[in-house]
Amino acid sequence: MSVRPAPEPPVRLTRWEQRTELPLFAVSLLFLTGYAVRVLAPHSAQPWHDIALLLVWSSWPVFLADYAVRVRLSGLGARFVHVHWLDTLVLLLPLLRPLRVVKVYSAVQQRYGRPRRDLYARVMTYAGLAAGLLGFSAALAVYHLEHTAPGASIRTFGDAVWWACATLTTVGYGDAAPVTFWGRTVAAGLMACGLALLGAVTGSFSSWLIQVFAREDEKRPPGRGQHRGGRF
């Protein structure tokens, strides 16, 4: 039984995504900046807290409008929620927008007409960017949720960054760990993303090394130990 290929997205939807990925990525960075200021700046830092809150709440209508346009252009109706589940998740949790970095990277390549890198370089670039942005976002969220919780081991943003690095790399020293329900929920999501990203980087790097060594073996001249005229 043959497997049907996934249907191509409508042309209008593809064009819309190509035109809006970079502006939306800029808006997501503004959202992340506003959230970071709200979390890290002292409460007495005015008017920065109010400006940060304005950035956070003004970003959501932009994401919502983009989502509505995607639903309309896709022609899928309510099925868009299930087919494009990542877009739906990112709308609800804008801190996960780094997972769309691969589309942003492709949009930059197409807009400036730069030659596309090979598969291994693209995978490692995407995974590196996504891991950095996701780690920073998770550190902010966990610090926000944990630093005032009773019995918390994550008291400073530095603790949160250390925890995010240990979680993303699957090291898990255990010296810093979330104790609240929502903090552990963020940790579970970061663990899953960390395993996926680390596996992608490790697999791509290993495949690249094998490919390089295979090319070197092909270019290497015959050695003295090779079979010549029936003798070794």
Side-chain angles (χ1 to χ4, degrees):
M1 181 178 180
S2 60
V3 179
R4 294 182 179 179
E8 292 291 333
V11 176
R12 291 191 302 169
L13 177 59
T14 303
R15 291 177 179 174
W16 172 264
E17 291 179 343
Q18 291 175 351
R19 293 174 180 173
T20 58
E21 280 301 335
L22 289 179
L24 285 174
F25 183 67
V27 174
S28 68
L29 291 181
L30 289 177
F31 175 91
L32 184 59
T33 301
Y35 183 71
V37 172
R38 289 285 298 175
V39 171
L40 300 178
H43 293 286
S44 59
Q46 292 294 346
W48 300 112
H49 262 267
D50 295 335
I51 295 175
L53 184 62
L54 179 63
L55 286 176
V56 170
W57 285 109
S58 61
S59 300
W60 252 312
V62 177
F63 300 144
L64 182 60
D66 171 69
Y67 186 84
V69 172
R70 290 174 190 267
V71 172
R72 182 177 180 181
L73 295 179
S74 67
L76 297 174
R79 292 192 300 120
F80 184 90
V81 176
H82 303 286
V83 176
H84 298 271
W85 60 270
L86 180 58
D87 292 336
T88 306
L89 187 61
V90 166
L91 174 65
L92 299 176
L93 298 172
L95 286 177
L96 294 179
R97 287 200 73 87
L99 291 175
R100 292 181 58 89
V101 163
V102 65
K103 293 189 176 182
V104 176
Y105 179 76
S106 300
V108 171
Q109 294 284 323
Q110 293 175 1
R111 174 167 294 190
Y112 295 99
R114 296 178 181 175
R116 301 186 68 181
R117 300 181 180 180
D118 58 33
L119 177 62
Y120 306 126
R122 276 183 283 156
V123 170
M124 288 188 284
T125 301
Y126 161 68
L129 290 173
L133 290 173
L134 275 176
F136 181 68
S137 300
L140 283 174
V142 165
Y143 172 70
H144 185 204
L145 296 166
E146 292 286 322
H147 74 284
T148 57
S153 58
I154 300 176
R155 293 292 186 180
T156 66
F157 184 62
D159 294 337
V161 172
W162 171 253
W163 164 83
C165 293
T167 304
L168 270 174
T169 55
T170 67
V171 174
Y173 287 109
D175 55 342
V179 296
T180 64
F181 171 78
W182 290 113
R184 290 176 176 176
T185 301
V186 174
L190 189 62
M191 289 175 193
C193 293
L195 286 172
L197 294 172
L198 184 63
V201 172
T202 304
S204 297
F205 186 69
S206 301
S207 299
W208 176 75
L209 284 179
I210 293 174
Q211 187 181 65
V212 170
F213 290 145
R215 290 176 180 174
E216 291 297 325
D217 289 340
E218 291 175 358
K219 295 178 182 178
R220 185 178 302 169
R224 293 181 178 179
Q226 291 185 344
H227 182 274
R228 291 183 179 179
R231 299 176 58 186
F232 289 92

